[in-house]
Amino acid sequence: MAKTDIGPPNYKNFMPPVIQKNYGKWQYHEILQPGLLKHVGETGEELYTVRAGSPRLMSTDHIREICEIAEKYCDGYLRFTSRHNIEFLLTDKSKIEPLIAELKSKKYPVGGTGHCVTNIVHTQGWVHCHTPATDASGPVKAVMDELHEYFSTMTMPSQVRIALACCLNMCGAVHCSDIAILGIHRTVPKPDHSRVPNVCEIPTTVASCPTGAIRPDPKTKSVTINEEKCMYCGNCYTVCPALPLADPENDGISIWVGGKVSNARSAPMFSKLAIPFLPNNPPRWPETVAAVKNILETYAKHARKHERMGEWINRISWERFFRLTGIEFTDKHIDDFTTAPETYRTTTQFKWG
Amino acid sequence: MSAETKGKVLEFFREKSRGDKKKYYVKEVVKGLPNEDRHAIQEAVKELLDEETLKYWSSGSTTYVMLAEFFPKE
Amino acid sequence: MAESETPLLDELEKGEWPSFVKDMKQAAEKKPMAKDLLRQLELSYKEKIGHWKHGGIVGVKGYGGGVIGRYSDRPDLFPGVAHFHTMRVNHPTGWFYTTKALRTLCDIWDKHGSGLTNMHGSTGDIILLGTSTDHLQSCFDDLSDAGFDLGGSGSALRTPSACVGPARCEWACIDSLNICYDITMSFQDQLHRPMFPYKFKIKVSGCANDCVASIARSDFSIIGTWKGKIQIDQKEVQAYAASGLDVQAEVTDLCPTKCMTWDEKAKTLAIEDADCTRCMHCINMMPKALRQGKEKGATLLIGGKAPIVQGALLSTVIVPFMKLEPPYQELKDLILKILDWWDEHGKMRERVGELINRVGMRTFLKDIGLKPAPQMVKNPRTNPYVFFWPEEIKKEVK
Ligand code: HEM
Ligand code: HEM
Ligand code: HEM
Ligand code: HEM
Ligand code: SF4
Ligand code: SF4
Ligand code: SF4
Ligand code: SF4
């Protein structure tokens, strides 16, 4: 039988010699051009990193192609970033130009450094999850097709992190992104009373609901769902496949803005609701693409240098954010969860917009 | 001692699985056997899982344990 | 030319950004199951609805996680994906690879699965996307022979992740990679055999830039920081100024504590280090000129999580400063103590941050044995509902 609990391979065996030698001894770095970093060690040794975008969903053939490139230019060493980018690690300066040229000829976007829009962190969507309110790879591809020039340049006021999660389980941790694209369901699961008694354990199904919205219904030997309590998480569908949640017309996308993770200057922030609902419109989600682009370009036009989206909005006020972006403010924007009162205005100071 | 705890854990599952509900959290087992040490119960559950008397059932984010004989067929 | 079976997805082959459809088609040429995946996805695009069912299968012998059971709800149309389970594989810390290792992974996955992957999943794991039930064990066996292991899922620890840290970043105050690897190896049981109330995530960032989003995405966040003076190389500051950086506007004015002053005439930078909150901004701006203080360690925070169930939380400070050097015993003891406390007191599906909110931070601190410090709060309480421990109150009141 196979060995268990061996853990991941030791990263030390996967680092190129230049990193092994300079581990913990890097002195400084520069971004030489979009997608190209230079790190200099205390000994003066130099490491070059060429960063390129990936679709995250990759075939083994695609990975082998990346391997071939890394073998040709980087002695077979590479890494991936936390945002699904590929990093080619090399020491031979003369190979940088040809590497970048080859990447470009093979249609790899080179960039994702500094004040850019880097790759979109995202989840599974219709490709592989059972509770999505939208697809993940599709909207990401559509949005990045539109924004790719911001990936390979550094013309934004600051770093811009976009993330997508296809339901509010938010496997993708989008809640602290400059722009978050979040799939939302708007209808409660529809119990299939003929199947529930056969395929589901009623007590487990009832207990699966985090908000206690599910009650057993002795009459039908099935369950009923309290529409006011349900927040569309899909937990019940996970344990009971006779409670489908998805709905083609009522599922869609919401847009959240102004979150950040880094502690630089201001503290980390959650993203806040900008647009409560946009329809699912495959294959290219034009409404979502337009909304993201509008928010991004409004920010790029008005923010000061080094201001993250959330820092910009905090300076100019949400009143002005809605005016500048032309996004309608609705009752959905006003919180009514337990934390709501903290978001109400308790001063007479505000802007007209 | 471990064998005794194991017996009680198994007894718990046999007893509780008579009704509709077959899937249990380890925490429910701990609650159902208040006189047993929590860690001992967890070890016993692990042994029963290794022996495939019990089986894991996972929602992806939450894990249940159930008697292998009741594990849903594909 | 035959008409395409996937006209909607074909649209997404166009455009500048790398297309996942192209990758799916590559796999589909070799693997009937990848072909059915593509066809089922096309149906989803047409109907605007997903076609997956969940199943509770966890896969391999001895483990309680690492596999996500997945079944098509239209096996009649797409028999190739009738079962199509995901395997989560521990990523090498820092996501470093040799092409040899990657090629081995590819060969194993071509042999056992769909040939499709995510590099990487949001937890950081390598995601091998789609195989049938009868291949799970043999695939795991091959992975194990090649030195790879499964990641966590369900009520267990997730594969911890770390920023690139000392491998390629001068700002790493701690050895984020080694800490992460050490924790991963020490906590294999907690990773592979779910016994907890819910999931638990640990992420390690070398500095306050927090490149793995540990403050937002982990129950236990380890973030490097320092004590002592920021080391200034005035010559290099002047070089930045000479090369066009507006030190006043772009560095000192944006310092959140206003503890920096730039003397435009003398071209010297001064920092009132006692007031610095180590946000990294100035160092980010002038990496050649500024280096962190010499005493390095980490701030430990707890409780970050997504909205399910009681709203999202960011991690909050519980240990303002801890030195982290191998074998990291103090750190691991603390994590184990917290895991055990959560395991004992947490309700099912209650993340540790929610448990702390329910029972109160002071109870957490007392049970774990941590000393309260003003660094843990933005401000002291404003409400007067102050509770004292029974032993702090005189029992016999005359
Ligand atoms: C030497 C400087 C830095 C290095 C080497 C560095 C390295 C990295 C790397 C490799 C990533 C993953 C990037 C990707 O996948 O595209 C990353 C992500 C990130 N970095 Fe940095 N970074 C640096 C500076 C900064 C600065 C100055 C900030 C903030 C102002 C910052 C904030 C972030 C954030 C927020 C992420 C995204 C994390 C995530 O959401 O996954 N980094 N960084
Ligand atoms: C704007 C919408 C938001 C989306 C889409 C979103 C999504 C997600 C998702 C999915 C995760 C993974 C969570 C976990 O592991 O526990 C996630 C993570 C989290 N989100 Fe959000 N969130 C959103 C907003 C929030 C908000 C408003 C909060 C809080 C309001 C929040 C907090 C969290 C937390 C905590 C995590 C932990 C992520 C992780 O561990 O990977 N999110 N968020
Ligand atoms: C109750 C709620 C949740 C359920 C039922 C759930 C279920 C799932 C399932 C079934 C998957 C696998 C998707 C696939 O590969 O087919 C998944 C993936 C994932 N989940 Fe969750 N999840 C829940 C909440 C969360 C939360 C709160 C977080 C994070 C804080 C989270 C983080 C993740 C991550 C990181 C992945 C990998 C996603 C990817 O890389 O695409 N999940 N979740
Ligand atoms: C240490 C805690 C506190 C003490 C000792 C305290 C004490 C007092 C006292 C003595 C009054 C005058 C009552 C009167 O003359 O009718 C008062 C009024 C008031 N307090 Fe507090 N208070 C405390 C905390 C708070 C907090 C936390 C809040 C709100 C968040 C608050 C809000 C008010 C308000 C709004 C009034 C005016 C009530 C009115 O005039 O109707 N107090 N407080
Ligand atoms: S965010 Fe929701 S729909 Fe998307 S992969 Fe995670 S659980 Fe599935
Ligand atoms: S979708 Fe979530 S909240 Fe709604 S009934 Fe199901 S488990 Fe409960
Ligand atoms: S978190 Fe800090 S130390 Fe780690 S890679 Fe990012 S900037 Fe470097
Ligand atoms: S690290 Fe941040 S707080 Fe400290 S001096 Fe630099 S900018 Fe100011």
Side-chain angles (χ1 to χ4, degrees), chain C residues 265-295:
Chain C
K265 275 207 206 97
K267 303 274 183 220
T268 52
L269 184 75
I271 300 177
E272 186 55 47
D273 286 278
D275 288 340
C276 164
T277 50
R278 302 168 315 285
C279 81
M280 286 298 295
H281 173 70
C282 59
I283 299 173
N284 290 340
M285 294 306 301
M286 303 191 290
K288 265 188 188 169
L290 301 180
R291 309 214 71 182
Q292 296 139 321
K294 286 188 175 147
E295 192 182 348

Side-chain angles (χ1 to χ4, degrees), chain B residues 1-2 5-6 9 26-27 29-31 33-47, chain C residues 189-190 195-196 336-345:
Chain B
M1 182 213 88
S2 170
T5 310
K6 232 164 105 180
V9 169
V26 176
K27 240 184 156 38
V29 187
V30 172
K31 226 180 184 166
L33 300 172
N35 297 324
E36 302 296 311
D37 174 66
R38 178 165 51 94
H39 298 107
I41 292 175
Q42 293 181 346
E43 285 314 310
V45 168
K46 277 180 204 167
E47 278 185 33
Chain C
D189 191 44
Q190 289 88 339
M195 291 285 148
F196 296 147
L336 276 176
K337 210 163 176 183
I338 290 171
L339 284 173
D340 200 53
W341 178 80
W342 170 56
D343 188 31
E344 183 174 351
H345 299 283

Side-chain angles (χ1 to χ4, degrees), chain C residues 63-67 87-91 123 125-126 140 148-154 156-159 191-193:
Chain C
Y63 282 9
V67 172
M87 300 183 82
R88 290 183 173 173
V89 178
N90 280 166
H91 65 282
T123 42
D125 281 334
I126 302 160
F140 172 70
F148 285 91
D149 201 347
L150 294 191
S153 65
L157 185 68
R158 295 292 181 276
T159 309
L191 189 72
H192 289 132
R193 291 167 200 86

Side-chain angles (χ1 to χ4, degrees), chain A residues 246-289:
Chain A
D247 181 302
E249 297 314 315
N250 287 311
D251 293 350
I253 279 176
S254 58
I255 308 279
W256 307 67
V257 300
K260 89 193 255 286
V261 166
S262 145
N263 286 274
R265 298 173 304 282
S266 53
M269 292 184 256
F270 286 131
S271 313
K272 282 109 187 164
L273 182 64
I275 303 176
F277 186 79
L278 294 167
N280 267 333
N281 200 351
R284 284 214 163 260
W285 281 267
E287 299 84 355
T288 300
V289 173

Side-chain angles (χ1 to χ4, degrees), chain C residues 149-388:
Chain C
D149 201 347
L150 294 191
S153 65
S155 311
L157 185 68
R158 295 292 181 276
T159 309
S161 62
C163 74
V164 72
R168 205 204 44 207
C169 185
E170 65 271 28
W171 297 330
C173 296
I174 50 176
D175 191 339
S176 53
L177 297 173
N178 198 37
I179 293 165
C180 178
Y181 183 68
D182 191 307
I183 290 173
T184 309
M185 297 309 281
S186 306
F187 295 161
Q188 287 287 305
D189 191 44
Q190 289 88 339
L191 189 72
H192 289 132
R193 291 167 200 86
M195 291 285 148
F196 296 147
Y198 205 17
K199 67 181 80 176
F200 197 91
K201 300 184 177 178
I202 303 173
K203 291 184 194 286
V204 195
S205 274
C207 79
N209 284 329
D210 197 1
C211 290
V212 283
S214 82
I215 205 165
R217 303 192 57 185
S218 57
D219 298 274
F220 193 89
S221 321
I222 303 169
I223 301 180
T225 193
W226 71 88
K227 287 182 170 181
K229 281 179 176 310
I230 293 180
Q231 308 166 63
I232 308 176
D233 182 338
Q234 298 289 357
K235 265 214 210 86
E236 290 290 352
V237 178
Q238 286 152 14
Y240 276 108
S243 71
L245 181 77
D246 185 339
V247 177
Q248 182 74 41
E250 296 186 47
V251 183
T252 59
D253 283 357
L254 296 181
C255 166
T257 61
K258 305 286 177 254
C259 66
M260 313 182 89
T261 43
W262 170 238
D263 187 332
E264 183 65 54
K265 275 207 206 97
K267 303 274 183 220
T268 52
L269 184 75
I271 300 177
E272 186 55 47
D273 286 278
D275 288 340
C276 164
T277 50
R278 302 168 315 285
C279 81
M280 286 298 295
H281 173 70
C282 59
I283 299 173
N284 290 340
M285 294 306 301
M286 303 191 290
K288 265 188 188 169
L290 301 180
R291 309 214 71 182
Q292 296 139 321
K294 286 188 175 147
E295 192 182 348
K296 306 278 172 62
T299 300
L300 309 181
L301 306 90
I302 198 160
K305 61 169 281 288
I308 303 265
V309 174
Q310 296 174 19
L313 300 170
L314 287 168
S315 287
T316 59
V317 175
I318 54 167
V319 176
F321 191 81
M322 185 187 277
K323 278 218 148 130
L324 292 181
E325 266 145 33
Y328 315 113
Q329 206 51 52
E330 191 185 359
L331 174 71
K332 285 189 282 193
D333 289 347
L334 177 65
I335 295 175
L336 276 176
K337 210 163 176 183
I338 290 171
L339 284 173
D340 200 53
W341 178 80
W342 170 56
D343 188 31
E344 183 174 351
H345 299 283
K347 299 192 220 169
M348 281 313 294
R349 265 176 221 286
E350 188 173 51
R351 298 277 288 266
V352 70
E354 288 165 334
L355 170 60
I356 292 173
N357 283 356
R358 177 162 64 83
V359 302
M361 182 59 94
R362 67 181 191 126
T363 304
F364 168 78
L365 294 177
K366 190 175 188 224
D367 288 357
I368 302 296
L370 291 168
K371 202 167 148 348
Q375 284 81 2
M376 294 174 182
V377 294
K378 289 179 196 150
N379 52 262
R381 71 165 73 224
T382 54
N383 73 70
Y385 312 123
V386 185
F387 292 94
F388 289 82

